[in-house]
Amino acid sequence: MGTKEVIITVESIKPKFFEKLIQNILKLTAGTTILVLFLIFFFLLKEGYGIFSYVSLRDFILGTQWLPETTPPKFGALPLIKGSLYVTVGATLIAVPIGISVAVFLAEAAPPMLREVLKAVIELLAGIPSVVYGFLGLTILAPFIKELFNLSSALCAFTASIVLALMSLPTIVSISEDVLTTVPKEYREASLALGATKWETTLKIVIPAARTGLIAAAMLGIGRAIGETMAVLMVAGNAVMLPHSFFDPVRTITANIAAEMGETVHGGLHYQALFGLGIVLFVITFIINFLTNILAADKLGMKRGRYL
Amino acid sequence: MISKRMIEKIGFSVLGILTLLAVLPVLGIIAYLVIRGCAALSWEFLTQPPHNFLSAGGVFPAIVGTLLLTIGTILVALPLGIGTAIYLVEYSERNLFTAVVRTAVVNLAGVPSVVYGLFGLGIFVLMLKLGRSLIAGVLTLGLLILPIIISTAEEALRSVPEDFRHASLALGATRWQTVRYIVLPSAMPSILTGAILGIGRAAGETAPIMFTAAAVYMPGLPRSIFDQVMALPYHLYVISTTVPNVPEHMAFGSALVLLIIVGGLNFAAVVLRLRMRLKRMKLSR
Amino acid sequence: MGIKMETKNLSIYYKNYKALNSVSLPIKENAVTALIGPSGCGKTTFLRSLNRMIEVIEGARIEGNVLLDGKNIYDPEVDPVELRKKVGMVFQKPNPFPMSIFDNVAYGPRIHGVKKKPLLEEIVEKSLKAAALWDEVKDRLYESALGLSGGQQQRLVIARVLAVEPQVILMDEPASALDPISTAKLEDLIEQLKEKYTIVIVTHNMQQAARISDYTAFFLNGELVEYDETRIIFTTPKEKRTEDYITGRFG
């Protein structure tokens, strides 16, 4: 039997070459993601850095006057940064407790049919474009709030917070629900077997076990709220001034970029200033993302794609 | 004293009521939008361009623009996204490059849409001199939904059992043959679900196209990819905030049409996912 | 009988864990060689090293040689893809692809360039007959393979391997997920297949090894303890540890 022909040969180089080619094309494709992220940052810097020779970074961030049309123009972004802060904090205070409550209800108490229906509804709510949320906030919610609180105008941080909260709810609920359902059944059973009620088990075992995942869910929701543009542009009132209460009109960083970019001249100071705002925004969201990731990359893992 | 059972009942009831309070008003508002919007819908509204400074006529060019933008977007994002996902799941080794790609994907997903708009303005509109155009908008939106496509495709590929890959490789198939003939066909429905979600997102985005593609008013349809386009989300923004004296029913009508397009896409994705889940349940039985 | 394959001082590591320690073992041609031993002893690792499927596992590292007809299969110029056409593999769990019975069997020939339908039909029929499945499925070749029973699925997988015309077939506990009747059918099939193929089978079932194999290798803790003709191993083993295992003193 040892006289058989040598059976292992490099029979053809071509398929191997084709394999390598495919692998390299795919690798190149994957590499574009790095390139794009780099280019985004590069273009923000390239178009925006000029503003920092006009105002210092410190004055840009802490300056209280944003007056791009005056001579000389003033570019202090603090009112915008505070605007973003107000709206985001407001939205977080509303959305996180409600979102997690809803998630707990869905994961622990809702009958299966109701849960599936609600999950589908929430998924559909997540798909509603922000401009539609903005439009509804403008035409339905704002007049309602104006009546309710007897305001002269309801286009303010408070209204924007509610709209933003509604928009980030689906994100927070979906992730939290997922995180809660991945808490091992054994934990629950062990607690129930000790005579705890389901409610006690939920409060004392399930929620603590899911803690980091829930925080990550909240942070992703916050990240969404900070970056949101159209809805806040439409309902936050758009006044570039330092807010003192939630019922003051505000303009956020995002809204300001969207509102003013149309009036700028390419390469002009105002144009550069708006890209400067872009840098600030990019850095803020980058940090939030980074924190969320080190907190719970493994908890979110692949599932992230659904909530983007 | 209240018994433990009572506390449990009350606790979960409160959560249930909160849930309904969070969901029902939004559904109510949307129902209101649908009713008001339906009143504005007519054959003319869907097939005519707007006139009298957007205060009359229809939204036909905006519908077409949005459809063109979404189709273009998916043409950009789908190949890039699926390619990256295949690389990450089927080819990548545990090395620095892979780690950097993963970090990049996660961070791209967190970049606000208005920043994508700035980026698109800087690179496509100005540097590559594409001007405000369909193509610039498509490229910008394509990059915006890239992380969604990658993540969903990655999840889909990972859900294909490792057994299939091993069986194929053991038969002497190459990596690529295994991916092409075994893994991709199994993962395709899930990948498409993700793609539809991505399209839905692209169709509704406003900020990224404001500076890169969208026109307030176009008398006709775009004739080439270098023309500006009208788009429904931008149109809705314009007529409900910046143009005075637009009758409210026009805005409700536009919002409803946008909602139908986006909602339809999302609904399709949900149904597709549900069908797959049922099919998988049947198979595993 | 000739020696079809042979390992020389083969050691395998997963990261830092040594799963296989310097194993030298001949695989005789047109015979059934059974690999036995408690779980975790390295028998599956050894099996996977024979067609380089071990390389699919991340972090696996190989030292030593594996010869097929006297040639080292880990030689850098050997294409694992070409090798696996010659050394086929049947896995523990039946793993038909989610496609029709026909497409499952035709998958191998197709990826290796067979395009003509009549030729494919011929190969499929021949392979299914050789796997003793033809009569059961000939009327539903275009139905999903997932509708078959576990035993049928495992024979389908064997047919799929045969369609590539391998010389060696590796089987990793192929009967572990099957009922007794299906197992008996599978064992008959293996008996027939050895006329044309060289077979290496991992099994945890001692009776099965005794029934179907010509040679038996006993593994323990990553080492080859003893190798001999099956009847000798099961009647007069030289090693105390082998005897203990065979008489049931290990798990």
Side-chain angles (χ1 to χ4, degrees), chain C residues 121-146:
Chain C
E121 281 170 347
E122 196 187 312
I123 296 175
V124 168
E125 182 175 341
K126 207 176 91 191
S127 307
L128 284 170
K129 277 181 174 159
L133 189 62
W134 174 251
D135 291 334
E136 291 163 61
V137 300
K138 65 180 179 220
D139 298 325
R140 46 168 173 156
L141 288 178
Y142 297 97
E143 288 171 29
S144 170
L146 301 178

Side-chain angles (χ1 to χ4, degrees), chain C residues 4 42 49 53 58 65 101 107 115 151 160 207 211 220:
Chain C
K4 184 69 184 174
S49 74
M53 279 301 283
E58 212 171 319
N65 292 335
I101 295 169
Y107 177 76
K115 297 238 163 59
R160 193 172 65 187
Q207 286 74 28
R211 277 196 302 267
L220 191 63

Side-chain angles (χ1 to χ4, degrees), chain B:
Chain B
M1 198 186 112
I2 315 171
S3 75
K4 278 173 138 196
R5 282 270 157 231
M6 279 300 284
I7 296 176
E8 172 168 273
K9 267 230 158 70
I10 295 168
F12 282 126
S13 302
V14 168
L15 292 184
I17 290 165
L18 257 175
T19 303
L20 294 183
L21 280 179
V23 174
L24 287 183
V26 183
L27 288 182
I29 289 176
I30 288 164
Y32 178 74
L33 163 68
V34 171
I35 293 165
R36 292 284 309 265
C38 277
L41 286 193
S42 65
W43 184 245
E44 196 207 343
F45 187 75
L46 294 175
T47 56
Q48 294 297 312
H51 46 83
N52 289 358
F53 300 104
L54 306 181
S55 65
V59 292
F60 181 62
I63 296 176
V64 173
T66 287
L67 292 180
L68 289 175
L69 280 168
T70 29
I71 293 168
T73 298
I74 207 64
L75 289 179
V76 172
L78 207 54
L80 274 180
I82 296 182
T84 303
I86 292 177
Y87 179 78
L88 287 176
V89 178
E90 309 290 336
Y91 285 88
S92 67
E93 291 150 31
R94 266 177 219 275
N95 57 23
L96 186 67
F97 178 74
T98 310
V100 176
V101 169
R102 284 190 185 289
T103 316
V105 173
V106 168
N107 280 295
L108 281 178
V111 173
S113 60
V114 71
V115 172
Y116 276 98
L118 287 177
F119 171 63
L121 173 66
I123 186 168
F124 302 126
V125 176
L126 298 173
M127 197 186 87
L128 298 178
K129 299 201 167 56
L130 296 172
R132 287 193 183 194
S133 59
L134 182 57
I135 181 75
V138 157
L139 291 169
T140 309
L141 285 175
L143 297 181
L144 174 87
I145 67 164
L146 188 56
I148 304 181
I149 306 283
I150 294 174
S151 308
T152 49
E154 207 183 333
E155 195 185 341
L157 292 172
R158 279 193 204 283
S159 70
V160 176
E162 199 70 352
D163 286 0
F164 291 168
R165 292 186 185 84
H166 287 181
S168 174
L169 290 174
L171 287 169
T174 63
R175 229 339 122 186
W176 174 245
Q177 284 172 328
T178 303
V179 170
R180 169 77 184 73
Y181 297 111
I182 301 296
V183 180
L184 272 184
S186 299
M188 222 12 130
S190 310
I191 293 179
L192 290 184
T193 309
I196 296 173
L197 286 177
I199 303 177
R201 171 85 185 272
E205 277 292 348
T206 315
I209 55 170
M210 278 175 101
F211 329 135
T212 57
V216 172
Y217 173 66
M218 295 269 293
L221 301 179
R223 269 155 301 160
S224 86
I225 54 169
F226 300 107
D227 278 3
Q228 271 182 277
V229 288
M230 288 186 74
L232 269 177
Y234 187 58
H235 182 69
L236 175 59
Y237 166 67
V238 169
I239 60 175
S240 60
T241 59
T242 59
V243 181
N245 303 326
V246 177
E248 233 184 13
H249 73 266
M250 292 283 295
F252 274 103
S254 307
L256 181 60
V257 175
L258 178 59
L259 204 62
I260 290 171
I261 293 178
V262 174
L265 285 168
N266 279 285
F267 187 70
V270 170
V271 169
L272 203 65
R273 189 179 290 161
L274 205 68
R275 270 187 47 183
M276 278 185 307
R277 219 176 280 162
L278 290 176
K279 209 169 143 193
R280 213 168 290 149
M281 268 153 103
K282 260 189 212 142
L283 282 180
S284 63
R285 210 172 285 150

Side-chain angles (χ1 to χ4, degrees), chain C:
Chain C
M1 236 178 269
I3 290 175
K4 184 69 184 174
M5 296 189 81
E6 189 170 14
T7 67
K8 287 193 168 153
N9 301 323
L10 181 69
S11 295
I12 291 171
Y13 302 81
Y14 296 124
K15 303 240 165 76
N16 297 320
Y17 170 70
K18 197 169 191 176
L20 210 58
N21 187 14
S22 193
V23 172
S24 300
L25 182 70
I27 310 283
K28 297 276 174 60
E29 186 153 25
N30 290 23
V32 177
T33 304
L35 311 177
I36 61 169
S39 43
C41 68
K43 55 191 194 296
T44 294
T45 299
F46 178 82
L47 191 76
R48 285 177 159 253
S49 74
L50 298 180
N51 68 344
R52 293 180 63 169
M53 279 301 283
I54 195 83
E55 292 173 357
V56 174
I57 297 162
E58 212 171 319
R61 192 158 55 79
I62 297 106
E63 278 173 17
N65 292 335
V66 179
L67 307 181
L68 175 62
D69 292 331
K71 284 266 181 182
N72 183 14
I73 64 171
Y74 286 95
D75 195 289
E77 70 174 22
V78 171
D79 183 352
V81 168
E82 291 299 319
L83 168 72
R84 288 174 197 148
K85 283 192 216 169
K86 279 137 197 156
V87 186
M89 186 164 207
V90 175
F91 296 81
Q92 197 166 357
K93 239 175 62 194
N95 56 0
F97 299 130
M99 37 175 96
S100 73
I101 295 169
F102 183 92
D103 287 340
N104 259 283
V105 182
Y107 177 76
R110 275 186 177 136
I111 57 171
H112 297 131
V114 180
K115 297 238 163 59
K116 294 210 178 69
K117 183 88 180 179
L119 183 54
L120 281 174
E121 281 170 347
E122 196 187 312
I123 296 175
V124 168
E125 182 175 341
K126 207 176 91 191
S127 307
L128 284 170
K129 277 181 174 159
L133 189 62
W134 174 251
D135 291 334
E136 291 163 61
V137 300
K138 65 180 179 220
D139 298 325
R140 46 168 173 156
L141 288 178
Y142 297 97
E143 288 171 29
S144 170
L146 301 178
L148 297 175
S149 74
Q152 289 173 323
Q153 287 189 2
Q154 199 60 301
R155 277 178 285 144
L156 175 69
V157 169
I158 292 175
R160 193 172 65 187
V161 171
L162 297 181
V164 187
E165 299 186 340
Q167 297 162 2
V168 182
I169 302 174
L170 311 176
M171 299 186 177
D172 186 2
E173 303 199 24
S176 65
L178 304 185
D179 60 88
I181 296 171
S182 304
T183 302
K185 276 190 183 167
L186 187 71
E187 289 181 4
D188 286 347
L189 174 62
I190 292 171
E191 197 67 35
Q192 290 165 27
L193 288 175
K194 78 172 179 187
E195 287 172 20
K196 286 179 70 181
Y197 305 94
T198 301
I199 293 171
V200 186
I201 180 169
V202 165
T203 178
H204 60 270
N205 181 330
M206 230 76 60
Q207 286 74 28
Q208 187 170 60
R211 277 196 302 267
I212 62 174
S213 71
D214 304 296
Y215 298 90
T216 296
F218 172 56
F219 285 77
L220 191 63
N221 298 329
E223 308 219 4
L224 174 63
V225 175
E226 192 170 352
Y227 165 79
D228 214 320
E229 283 181 42
T230 299
R231 60 183 171 82
I232 295 177
I233 290 272
F234 280 92
T235 51
T236 51
K238 293 179 197 72
E239 289 270 342
K240 174 87 170 58
R241 287 177 293 172
T242 312
E243 193 184 337
D244 285 349
Y245 181 68
I246 285 166
T247 53
R249 249 165 270 175
F250 287 96

